[in-house]
Amino acid sequence: GPDAVELARSLGTSAFPWQEGVLRHLCARDGKDRPAYVTCGLSLPRQNGKNLVLEVYEVYQMAVCGARIQHTAHRVKTAKESFDRLVRYFKAEPLSALVERIRYTNGEETIALANGGKIQFSARSRANTRGFADVQAVVFDEAQDLTDEQVNAIMFVLAASSTGDRQMIFTGTPPDPDSPG
């Protein structure tokens, strides 16, 4: 966690103390060097800093740890906005030197790094994660709109993690009574 916070600072991103605390927990490791928390959640009203936490977590996990991440959102537009924000980090120095390729194709947005780190962005559906392999973390953005069917569609991806590391991160806004999540 502290390393992720320091990376953010070195990239010119300032996190509030509460965001640093969340990052410390998201990135925490146990005595066997596995994620200390397999299931994490962050629910905040809109425009309160949730996306910065995700950005720093994803950049750190990919660039430093070589992790493979599946980032899902409830809508194509939301997934694309998250992709665009993350691309900013990897198009600038020093992270641009790590980039193997960036794929901009709609629905197939991906950032792949030379160290094996990779993130794929998608809107959720029953079968949209088919073909994704060896993922260590799944980010369910806007989880207040997440259905059980969508969670079940992605669980097999985590089960196939070659490192054995698995982490699910659920983020979103406080749900209203009609929210499935």
Side-chain angles (χ1 to χ4, degrees), residues 4-181:
V5 170
E6 187 53 41
L7 175 64
R9 285 186 188 130
S10 74
L11 297 173
T13 300
S14 298
F16 290 114
W18 73 264
Q19 291 169 313
E20 292 179 2
V22 172
L23 284 164
R24 284 186 178 91
H25 287 287
L26 288 178
C27 297
R29 307 296 284 183
D30 66 14
K32 295 180 182 178
D33 199 31
R34 293 243 163 111
Y37 306 102
V38 175
T39 305
C40 306
L42 178 60
S43 181
L44 291 170
R46 297 205 181 281
Q47 305 299 314
N48 276 287
K50 166 185 62 87
N51 286 322
L52 178 73
V53 171
L54 287 179
E55 290 166 21
V56 172
Y57 169 82
E58 291 168 342
V59 168
Y60 178 78
Q61 291 296 320
M62 291 172 54
V64 176
C65 304
R68 297 171 59 96
I69 303 166
Q70 175 64 43
H71 182 115
T72 74
H74 65 318
R75 295 187 183 127
V76 171
K77 179 183 172 190
T78 307
K80 177 78 168 116
E81 287 171 357
S82 296
F83 169 75
D84 290 342
R85 281 193 304 272
L86 213 60
V87 163
R88 268 193 345 245
Y89 291 98
F90 288 101
K91 289 197 96 166
E93 291 296 329
L95 296 179
S96 62
L98 301 175
V99 175
E100 187 174 89
R101 70 183 161 86
I102 298 175
R103 184 177 180 119
Y104 293 90
T105 304
N106 192 28
E108 298 177 19
E109 290 86 354
T110 304
I111 302 169
L113 305 182
N115 70 354
K118 184 176 184 178
I119 188 165
Q120 298 165 297
F121 292 81
S122 65
R124 289 190 286 270
S125 73
R126 290 184 307 199
N128 69 333
T129 59
R130 304 282 189 243
F132 296 147
D134 196 17
V135 171
Q136 285 84 47
V138 176
V139 173
F140 294 101
D141 194 10
E142 300 296 343
Q144 75 278 359
D145 292 318
L146 184 64
T147 66
D148 290 341
E149 188 176 57
Q150 292 165 342
V151 172
N152 291 336
I154 205 166
M155 284 300 101
F156 78 92
V157 173
L158 273 178
S161 170
S162 63
T163 65
D165 289 356
R166 295 178 181 99
Q167 193 169 38
M168 295 179 297
I169 300 170
F170 299 87
T171 67
T173 59
D176 62 44
D178 297 325
S179 297

